[in-house]
Structures are given as structure tokens and as C-alpha cells.
Amino acid sequence: AKLIFTTSMFLGTTITISSNHWITAWAGLEINTLAILPLISKSHHPRSIEAATKYFLTQATASTLVLFASMTNAWHTGQWDITQLTHPTSCLILTSAIAMKLGLVPFHFWFPEVLQGSPLATGLLLSTIMKFPPVVLLVMTSPSLNPTLLTFMAISSAALGGWMGLNQTQTRKIMAFSSISHLGWMTIIISYNPKLTLLNFYLYTMMTAAVFLILNTNNTLSLSTLMTTWAKNPTLSAMLLLTLLSLAGLPPLTGFLPKWLIIQELTKQDMAIAATVISLLSLLGLFFYLRLAYCATITLPPHTTNHMKQWHTNKPVNTSIAILTTMSTMLLP
């Protein structure tokens, strides 16, 4: 069953990103949604069933809106081609639909809840591969969308992703809010340079995958359990520190590259104020990444916690974790 779900997920993604016609794009998105639902509700816990229900409802609404936008466009222009989306109303509807799919502000409420209800591996899929088809659709339709609206949504996403992440103690929710603020960085640049959006998305996927795989290896769901994992695998915790700082976008690391290029492009487009605002808002993200990193690596004895220390494991670390952490820290240098 798991094989069927993962293959159909990849199939849906491939259908969406390779389609020219709106109906095939919609069909790919639907296949994607239906394939990930069993993976969310796999553990029969009320929390995960609730997460699956929330996910299904939002994604179904968003898919309907995609269909609606393409139909209104076809009525007015006779075009079913994705790149030919020209009618202003359908552009607005499509923007809101894709924002719903991605979890951009103001349609972000479902994402932290769903991520908190699903296991870590599914959380990784939800925050990386499930965001890929909507991002591709956004890139394909970006010339006709409204740049002011996109900039507004992007800045509010960066702001809310930063502010709401400050008070969280659950690692999955922190990763959800970090994802929302990263999507803000991707959306602000999409009308000016869509290639930068894709670059940002690839690097974000790489770093998020590294963080989620490390958390999955250490089996940490909250900050209090993160405090005791350094004993289990000290090297892995040190790499988690670096990967988190890379996600925050600190200069020598990979995560700085997309932020640097985006700020440069925004100043070229005479949007220095927007660039300043979004850079200041990424400091909020830096705060909770630093708190994660602090809990992971700096709370060593004598700062004792009332949790059981975990045994040191000599189990070799997964190769993919090694590759991903190395790339997410060393790619820019």
C-alpha cells in the first residue's frame, strides 16, 4: 500500500508539472492529495484523523478554485493553456487557490495543524514534495498575476510565519511556520524573477529534508525531547545546529544564497523597502531556529533536564542525511 501511495504521489506531481492544459494540472493535484491522505492518517490517533480531514477539506477547496479559475478564463478567452491565463478575475481566483494549496497567508491556518498531526516522514513529504506542483503552477502563470497582491501576501507570510513560530514548543509546528515564512520569500520574487523562486524552493527542500530526517532519526517531536538527544548522537546534533542556521539564512551557509539573490533582485526592481521589511522579518525566524539549535546542542550538563538521557548509538547515520546536511551547509562556500 505504501508503495502505491508513494508512486501515485510522484505520478501526480509529474502530471501537474508537465501539463499544458488546466484539467491535467488539476487531475495531478487531485491524485497528489488522495495519495498523501492515507500517509497522514496512518497512525490511528484522533489528532492524525483530524489532520487528514483538515488537509482534505482545504486541498479540495483549493482544487475546486483552480478548476473555477481555469473555467472562467476559458469562458472569456477560449484558452485552456496554463500560460495563457489572462482574465483578471481568474488570475485573482487562481492566486488564492494556489495560496491555499501552499499555505500562504491568509490561507495558512491548516498547515501547522496538519503537520502536527502527521508523523515526521509524512511531514517531510507535506512540506517539500506536496508544495512542488503549486509552486510550478505559480511560476508558469507568474507573468499574468498581480505583483502587488503577491508582494503583500509574501510579506504577511514572512511576518506571520516568524511571529507565530516564536511561541511553539513542538518541532513539527516550528517547521510548519518556518515553511510559511520561506514561502513568503519565494512569492515576493515570483513576478520579477521566477527562476529565483525555483532556486529558493530547491534549496529550501534540501535543507528542510535534512532537518526532518535528523529529527526523525533522533525521534524528537518537542523541544524537551530535543534537549536529551545530544547524548544519542552528538555529531548529528552538531550537524542539526548548522542545518538550522542554514535554514535561517546565515551568510557562510547555503540558506544565505537565495536570500542574497532575492534581496539583490528586489533592489534592482526599486523595491528596497520591501526587501528591508522581509529581511527584518526573517530575523524572527532566526530566533526560533536558534532556539531549536540551542535546545539541540547547547543544553549540555550541568543543565540537567528531568528527562531520561538516551543511550549513545553507534548505528551508522543514513547516507541521505549525510549528503543533505553537507549540501545544506557547504553548497554556497
Side-chain angles (χ1 to χ4, degrees):
K2 202 179 271 188
L3 178 70
I4 292 176
F5 297 142
T6 41
T7 43
S8 48
M9 199 169 61
F10 282 109
L11 174 77
T13 308
T14 317
I15 290 175
T16 305
I17 63 181
S18 58
S19 59
N20 289 317
H21 195 288
W22 271 115
I23 298 289
T24 43
W26 168 81
L29 290 172
E30 283 297 301
I31 293 173
N32 247 354
T33 304
L34 293 176
I36 196 92
L37 277 171
L39 297 178
I40 299 176
S41 56
K42 190 173 59 189
S43 58
H44 292 288
H45 190 272
R47 204 58 205 267
S48 60
I49 306 294
E50 183 191 345
T53 314
K54 282 177 180 170
Y55 186 75
F56 173 73
L57 289 173
T58 44
Q59 298 299 311
T61 316
S63 299
T64 319
L65 281 174
V66 167
L67 215 49
F68 184 50
S70 50
M71 276 176 61
T72 38
N73 190 56
W75 273 332
H76 285 285
T77 60
Q79 285 285 351
W80 278 102
D81 198 46
I82 293 186
T83 48
Q84 301 287 328
L85 190 80
T86 46
H87 192 252
T89 318
S90 43
C91 285
L92 282 175
I93 298 172
L94 183 88
T95 311
S96 59
I98 286 186
M100 230 169 180
K101 279 267 176 212
L102 288 172
L104 274 171
V105 175
F107 308 104
H108 64 286
F109 298 102
W110 62 274
F111 190 51
E113 300 289 326
V114 170
L115 215 59
Q116 180 59 28
S118 49
L120 279 167
T122 314
L124 165 64
L125 293 175
L126 276 174
S127 42
T128 55
I129 199 168
M130 299 302 287
K131 307 246 163 161
F132 188 46
V135 165
V136 170
L137 286 179
L138 203 58
V139 167
M140 285 164 79
T141 54
S142 58
S144 48
L145 299 179
N146 183 354
T148 323
L149 177 69
L150 286 175
T151 309
F152 174 71
M153 284 166 87
I155 288 181
S156 47
S157 289
L160 272 166
W163 267 312
M164 293 173 76
L166 293 182
N167 212 11
Q168 301 296 334
T169 54
Q170 301 288 329
T171 45
R172 285 170 293 187
K173 276 198 173 171
I174 291 180
M175 291 311 290
F177 287 118
S178 108
S179 175
I180 291 172
S181 53
H182 273 277
L183 282 167
W185 277 91
M186 289 173 221
T187 332
I188 198 165
I189 199 67
I190 192 134
S191 352
Y192 309 108
N193 197 338
K195 285 198 180 80
L196 274 186
T197 300
L198 280 179
L199 170 79
N200 194 346
F201 182 78
Y202 297 144
L203 294 179
Y204 154 78
T205 302
M206 195 174 66
M207 297 182 287
T208 310
V211 172
F212 265 112
L213 286 172
I214 293 176
L215 293 176
N216 197 20
T217 309
N218 284 340
N219 200 8
T220 39
L221 298 177
S222 65
L223 290 180
S224 52
T225 46
L226 193 61
M227 286 181 186
T228 58
T229 51
W230 59 268
K232 195 175 180 180
N233 204 330
T235 351
L236 201 58
S237 294
M239 285 315 288
L240 176 64
L241 165 82
L242 284 175
T243 316
L244 284 166
L245 293 182
S246 181
L247 257 179
L250 286 186
L253 306 166
T254 310
F256 178 57
L257 176 68
K259 287 189 165 52
W260 179 23
L261 293 174
I262 285 173
I263 290 171
Q264 191 178 359
E265 183 64 33
L266 284 176
T267 40
K268 275 184 199 163
Q269 301 287 346
D270 287 338
M271 291 177 66
I273 300 172
T276 314
V277 169
I278 202 166
S279 316
L280 287 173
L281 288 171
S282 71
L283 288 176
L284 293 166
L286 175 66
F287 176 80
F288 58 77
Y289 292 125
L290 271 176
R291 189 171 59 186
L292 269 173
Y294 178 83
C295 286
T297 52
I298 310 174
T299 48
L300 299 182
H303 300 291
T304 48
T305 48
N306 54 359
H307 287 272
M308 294 289 287
K309 294 280 182 288
Q310 299 183 12
W311 285 97
H312 185 91
T313 53
N314 283 329
K315 200 172 59 175
V317 174
N318 199 334
T319 326
S320 54
I321 297 185
I323 296 171
L324 284 167
T325 47
T326 314
M327 283 173 72
S328 55
T329 48
M330 298 296 180
L331 213 56
L332 179 59

